Structure formats: C-alpha cells, structure tokens
Amino acid sequence: MSPSAIVRADGVFEAALGLVLVAGAAAGRLDGGDFPAPVGTTVIVVVGVALIAVGVVLWLPGGAVPPQLLRNLAVGNSVTAVAAIVWRIAAEGFSHAGSAILLATAVALLALAAAQLSSLRAGRALRP
C-alpha cells in the first residue's frame, strides 16, 4: 500500500469513528453510561466532530507523503491505542458498547501504526 493510501485510510478510519460517535450520541445509543465519568454525551459529540475534522484533513493531501507525517501518525496512533487499552483496564464504568468501540479503535489504530511504520521501512529500503 502506498504512503498516500495509508494516510487516506487513516483519514477514513478517523472520520468513520467520528461519525459513529456523533450518530450514536444523536440516536441515543451512546451516552455517559457507556464510558466512565466524566465522559458524557457532550464529550462524545465533541470528540466525534474532532475526529471527523482530522479525517478530512488526512484525506485531503495528495501527492507525496513526507516520511515525518507517517512517523507522526504512527506514533500518535500507537500512543492513543495504548492509552485506550490502559484506560479500559484501569477504569470502571464501560458498557459493552463502550468497551467494544474502545477496544476496536485500539486494534485499528495499532494496525494503522504498523502499516505506517512498514511503509517508512519500505521507503528506506528503496533509497540508494
């Protein structure tokens, strides 16, 4: 997969997760009962909107992807995934839906980070 495709896949994931959060909150399927306090419906919506914005930003750039962008995304995705897992283990108050969303997000972020790091390594191998 090309670096550009990996960045776009990250953007699609971020936007899709944001839409799930916003739509879930709007439909009453996600609320403060799904995540530990102080996360409530407002926080869910704000995070969802922010993720949609991040997804759009990652989708828009075309052309060559600087290696630093892939590195930053890999680090950010890895740190966020580990933080999500630690949060899930350490905190009480997750519903089944909240746990599923959090853990699926962590797995997806780790997969994206692995693809980003793999692309960086492949890019180094291609350089003279």
Side-chain angles (χ1 to χ4, degrees):
M1 186 180 272
S2 73
S4 179
I6 293 169
V7 171
R8 285 187 166 208
D10 197 329
V12 168
F13 171 74
E14 303 292 345
L17 177 58
L19 287 171
V20 164
L21 294 176
V22 171
R29 305 288 243 154
L30 288 175
D31 59 27
D34 293 303
F35 301 95
V39 176
T41 304
T42 301
V43 172
I44 293 169
V45 171
V46 168
V47 170
V49 169
L51 286 170
I52 292 167
V54 168
V56 169
V57 168
L58 291 175
W59 177 262
L60 291 178
V65 173
Q68 190 61 41
L69 176 60
L70 282 175
R71 191 172 296 108
N72 291 346
L73 288 172
V75 169
N77 286 336
S78 298
V79 168
T80 303
V82 169
I85 293 166
V86 168
W87 185 35
R88 178 59 194 96
I89 291 168
E92 294 182 17
F94 285 94
S95 69
H96 291 299
S99 287
I101 290 170
L102 189 71
L103 295 175
T105 296
V107 168
L109 289 174
L110 289 172
L112 285 164
Q116 290 152 348
L117 290 173
S118 176
S119 180
L120 278 170
R121 283 190 211 103
R124 283 192 201 119
L126 296 175
R127 290 184 194 148

